[in-house]
Amino acid sequence: MMNIGSLLPILFILVIISIFTAKGIRRTVNNKGKSVSSSWARRIFGGYISLLLICTIVVPFINGKDMTDLKKAPIDAIEKEGATLFDAAAAGKINTIGRNSIEKKWDFEYREPKLNLSVGTEEFFATQIFVERKKTNDDKIEAVYYRTRSSVNDMDISKVINPIRLTLAGDILTLHNSKKAKLNFSIFNQIFPVTQFTGEPSLFQHQSSFYEGQSILYLRIPKDLELNSKSEVNIQFVE
């Protein structure tokens, strides 16, 4: 958002232009060489200058709510967080990851010798699954869903993204992808009378970027539990 200090140079330029231009168009000459009044031209120019002044002063104060309530989330930082999470899970050192990356937890009592993993829809289950076998058969399945930040235009939108869902029925643990979140963004650009002096890009030059963070489902299962899964489920066992 522009402040008053940034408006002063623009206002100064507009005043100078209006003074010199007004002097230059006070009178004009018709095709017979006679000097005539050009009040209509002054009215048009004066109206345009007035529009410039009004837009320059008013526009910065009608931007509405910007995205200052969303934290910054640069892509390079998100990539680093994702790599750290993946490496920790693959090495069985998931406990070194801070609680901020934990999205949801599940605990299931389970006494069957086999467990089948299934996907709730025909879509590919995008979350990477890591499985760690416990040292004992405690009849419990522990599941923790980790996710790093996601961003739009370097703004953290993680809080509006839904977590995955797990349901246990019989000997089938069903994995459900996150429910799709609908995001509506409005792009505000200064109008032409302002951008022609400030040099800001037009609406048609705007580009948006989206980056999805790393998501991992970490399972801890009893020592001797037999785990079966379909091909669309990406599982990696942790030694």
Side-chain angles (χ1 to χ4, degrees):
M1 183 178 290
M2 297 176 63
N3 53 39
I4 299 300
S6 64
L7 294 175
L8 294 179
I10 300 174
L11 294 176
F12 178 75
I13 293 172
L14 292 175
V15 171
I16 296 299
I17 293 174
S18 62
I19 291 174
F20 281 95
T21 307
K23 288 182 178 180
I25 64 172
R26 281 179 181 175
R27 304 186 69 84
T28 186
V29 179
N30 63 10
N31 57 2
K32 294 182 179 180
K34 295 182 179 180
S35 178
V36 296
S37 174
S38 58
S39 59
W40 63 271
R42 289 198 297 273
R43 292 193 192 100
I44 294 175
F45 182 78
Y48 184 66
I49 292 298
S50 299
L51 177 62
L52 290 177
L53 292 173
I54 293 172
C55 291
T56 304
I57 296 172
V58 174
V59 165
F61 301 99
I62 62 172
N63 281 356
K65 182 181 178 182
D66 56 16
M67 304 307 291
T68 54
D69 58 329
L70 297 180
K71 297 180 180 179
K72 289 290 185 179
I75 291 179
D76 55 348
I78 296 177
E79 289 179 338
K80 185 176 180 180
E81 293 171 4
T84 300
L85 174 60
F86 187 91
D87 292 343
K93 298 179 180 179
I94 196 68
N95 290 332
T96 62
I97 299 298
R99 293 182 176 273
N100 291 337
S101 296
I102 297 178
E103 187 76 13
K104 196 168 183 178
K105 292 183 177 182
W106 300 264
D107 288 307
F108 301 106
E109 293 285 341
Y110 193 76
R111 292 179 173 80
E112 301 296 326
K114 298 180 181 181
L115 178 67
N116 299 298
L117 293 184
S118 178
V119 178
T121 64
E122 296 181 355
E123 298 179 0
F124 177 76
F125 188 70
T127 300
Q128 171 70 49
I129 302 174
F130 287 90
V131 178
E132 176 187 332
R133 291 191 178 276
K134 302 177 186 179
K135 296 181 179 179
T136 60
N137 292 312
D138 59 356
D139 299 328
K140 291 182 180 180
I141 298 173
E142 302 171 22
V144 184
Y145 178 56
Y146 294 84
R147 184 177 64 196
T148 58
R149 295 178 295 170
S150 297
S151 72
V152 168
N153 295 343
D154 290 339
M155 297 179 295
D156 188 355
I157 60 168
S158 304
K159 63 183 180 181
V160 300
I161 299 179
N162 299 311
I164 63 172
R165 294 160 293 146
L166 303 183
T167 55
L168 179 64
D171 61 352
I172 300 177
L173 180 62
T174 304
L175 314 174
H176 304 270
N177 282 311
S178 303
K179 289 184 177 179
K180 294 182 179 179
K182 185 177 181 180
L183 305 178
N184 294 315
F185 288 90
S186 297
I187 301 173
F188 183 90
N189 276 66
Q190 306 279 24
I191 59 177
F192 174 73
V194 176
T195 58
Q196 65 177 322
F197 291 101
T198 63
E200 297 179 45
S202 69
L203 178 63
F204 302 101
Q205 294 175 306
H206 182 82
Q207 294 182 347
S208 296
S209 62
F210 171 75
Y211 189 87
E212 185 174 4
Q214 176 70 260
S215 61
I216 286 176
L217 176 62
Y218 198 90
L219 297 176
R220 289 187 174 95
I221 63 174
K223 177 183 177 182
D224 297 323
L225 178 65
E226 181 181 334
L227 187 62
N228 301 312
S229 64
K230 295 183 178 181
S231 58
E232 64 266 24
V233 181
N234 189 8
I235 294 179
Q236 182 173 332
F237 284 89
V238 176
E239 297 294 336

